[in-house]
Amino acid sequence: MRFRPGASGLALLAVCSLTLAGCSAGSLGSSSGSGSTGSTELTYLIGNQDQDLKNAQQLVKDFTAKNAGITIKIETRPAGTEGDNIVKTRLSTGDMPEIFNYNTGSLFQAIAPQKNLVSLSDQPYVGTLDDNFKNTVTADGQVYGVPVGGFMGGAVLYNIPIYKKLGLTPPKTWAEFMANSAKIKAAGITPVIQTYGETWTAQLFVLGDFHNVAAAEPDFADKYTKNQAKYATSPAALKGFEHTEAVHDAGYENKDFASAKLPDGLKMLATGQGAQYPILSGVVSNMIATYPDAAKNVGLFALPGDDASKNGLTVWTPGADYIPKTTTGAKLDAAKKFLAFIASPDGCKSQAAAGAPTGPYAVKGCALPADVPQAIKDMQPYLDKPGASSLALEFVSPVKGPSLSQITVEVGSGIRKAKDGAARYDEDVKKQAQQLGLAGW
């Protein structure tokens, strides 16, 4: 995943339950009735985060219990840039294991899928994959990956008891959001929680607003990648910066917004000291681990734009499992069978057994467990309704500058005006776009 704290994007890997201690490589395997003769052994390369390993172990255990003659050994790699380099090196040298887990979106495109990966477009389950996810693992019309994990949303977590007490309903427009915030402030409660002590959290009003940008300007991502559209000159894209500024200027932030960190924000929300927190849905499990009642007391709504009829959620897709072209013969058949299991309701159940999902699954027919937190349940209708969800910009454009978090802190602190912040960010992305060799820069 991307959206990385302290880096150019938001990778939740440093802020939510997906990020725990690193772990060593492990292996699991079994044999039971698949009808094949002899034994086929696969190796499955995954990230070394704790939840990655738990997911992989559970998937391997449940799959091999039903498939004789197939054993799967799990191998781990580091996260971040080091892990990226390992994936690229092993693909280029023909040394990639039979199955591996990696990013989706622009980072997926960077590993030359047409050259290095086995197309899965002929597999019957491809039609059950969520379109948002499918778009992030497609190159030249061919689908190459299956999802592992659930979606995450860039949204607003809100305190349900406060909303009920004040007679509020989740807003579908920015005007409604600000009106709700005014009523919350009048009740003596902090309307909007901000935690600029961890600067990555300041980006949500911009990055989580991309569904609204795409709804207003469907070709924005394409033009942005070609240097034909900019945040400072696109009325729709500028609004994320304007909203960041508006919340500050209205006095809706918590008094300690400049120094507060993620745990402080989660505490405020869970305990009713604050009513609304723009953040990634992936932090919900962290909050509930400390404040169990938040499972039922905290809900989620999409960042609202100007048009209620186009209200929808910006989503970050899960990573994916792929098969390199060096996998052939019986190993290829076994690897395809394993991916088919992952992209099935049984595969989703297996993942749910390994840990609470961060959001709805990217496979149609996969239901969330009944006991998932309310905030995670609230994401499902957006994904079920056509046109009510959009991929975050980083999945549809490789252009992302390193300084967005610092710029949004400045705008949200009253140090820099929205238009100035947007213009500065437009300059910030230029160097990266030139390093990528993108046309038009």
Side-chain angles (χ1 to χ4, degrees), residues 407-423:
I407 294 168
T408 49
V409 164
E410 291 175 347
V411 174
S413 302
I415 297 170
R416 188 181 298 275
K417 291 296 184 181
K419 188 72 177 284
D420 185 26

Side-chain angles (χ1 to χ4, degrees), residues 97-111:
E98 290 80 18
I99 307 159
F100 70 100
N101 184 272
Y102 191 59
N103 295 286
T104 54
S106 57
L107 293 179
F108 154 77
Q109 298 291 346
I111 61 172

Side-chain angles (χ1 to χ4, degrees), residues 89-433:
T89 298
R90 297 189 73 168
L91 284 172
S92 66
T93 60
D95 187 38
M96 180 60 77
E98 290 80 18
I99 307 159
F100 70 100
N101 184 272
Y102 191 59
N103 295 286
T104 54
S106 57
L107 293 179
F108 154 77
Q109 298 291 346
I111 61 172
Q114 303 95 317
K115 173 185 176 182
N116 291 317
L117 306 182
V118 172
S119 171
L120 304 174
S121 290
D122 61 347
Q123 299 299 296
Y125 59 76
V126 167
T128 71
L129 300 181
D130 180 272
D131 287 342
N132 280 320
F133 170 80
K134 199 161 22 178
N135 288 340
T136 67
V137 293
T138 296
D140 289 342
Q142 296 295 303
V143 176
Y144 290 95
V146 301
V148 178
F151 284 104
M152 286 186 290
V156 178
L157 298 179
Y158 73 100
N159 185 286
I160 295 173
I162 291 175
Y163 258 59
K164 286 183 176 179
K165 180 180 178 181
L166 299 179
L168 305 177
T169 57
K172 292 188 176 181
T173 67
W174 183 255
E176 291 172 356
F177 176 80
M178 293 298 277
N180 282 359
S181 298
K183 292 176 182 176
I184 294 165
K185 184 178 181 181
I189 301 167
T190 296
V192 181
I193 300 165
Q194 294 284 38
T195 50
Y196 295 168
E198 289 187 51
T199 58
W200 73 266
T201 68
Q203 301 173 85
L204 263 297
F205 277 129
V206 174
L207 297 184
D209 194 53
F210 189 69
H211 170 83
N212 297 316
V213 178
E217 299 181 26
D219 59 351
F220 177 83
D222 183 58
K223 287 185 174 181
Y224 179 65
T225 304
K226 296 175 180 176
N227 198 23
Q228 297 171 355
K230 295 185 178 296
Y231 272 93
T233 55
S234 160
L238 179 60
K239 288 186 185 297
F241 289 92
E242 292 175 336
H243 295 165
T244 306
E245 179 182 24
V247 164
H248 171 79
D249 289 353
Y252 290 158
E253 298 166 323
N254 42 303
K255 292 181 180 179
D256 63 345
F257 70 88
S259 59
K261 295 186 176 182
L262 178 66
D264 303 313
L266 296 177
K267 179 181 179 181
M268 287 188 69
L269 182 67
T271 60
Q273 299 171 54
Q276 304 166 127
Y277 191 10
I279 200 70
L280 286 176
S281 65
V283 304
V284 168
S285 58
N286 268 14
M287 176 173 57
I288 291 168
T290 307
Y291 309 99
D293 286 348
K296 64 178 186 297
N297 289 336
V298 172
L300 174 149
F301 60 80
L303 281 163
D306 292 335
D307 188 345
S309 69
K310 296 181 180 179
N311 180 244
L313 181 68
T314 301
V315 296
W316 278 254
T317 67
D321 281 351
Y322 306 99
I323 303 173
K325 283 188 175 176
T326 46
T327 304
T328 59
K331 287 181 179 286
L332 176 58
D333 292 339
K336 285 184 175 180
K337 184 176 283 190
F338 182 50
L339 264 58
F341 170 75
I342 294 171
S344 72
D346 283 344
C348 295
K349 289 177 183 177
S350 182
Q351 294 173 67
T358 60
Y361 293 110
V363 179
K364 297 170 187 175
C366 285
L368 287 169
D371 60 351
V372 296
Q374 183 60 46
I376 303 304
K377 291 180 183 177
D378 287 345
M379 293 175 63
Q380 190 70 60
Y382 293 107
L383 290 159
D384 289 343
K385 181 181 177 182
S389 61
S390 298
L391 291 168
L393 179 59
E394 64 193 57
F395 289 100
V396 289
S397 172
V399 180
K400 176 84 163 65
S403 301
L404 180 60
S405 61
Q406 288 78 16
I407 294 168
T408 49
V409 164
E410 291 175 347
V411 174
S413 302
I415 297 170
R416 188 181 298 275
K417 291 296 184 181
K419 188 72 177 284
D420 185 26
R424 187 180 174 204
Y425 183 58
D426 287 332
E427 283 298 311
D428 184 50
V429 304
K430 185 182 297 184
K431 183 177 180 180
Q432 188 213 31

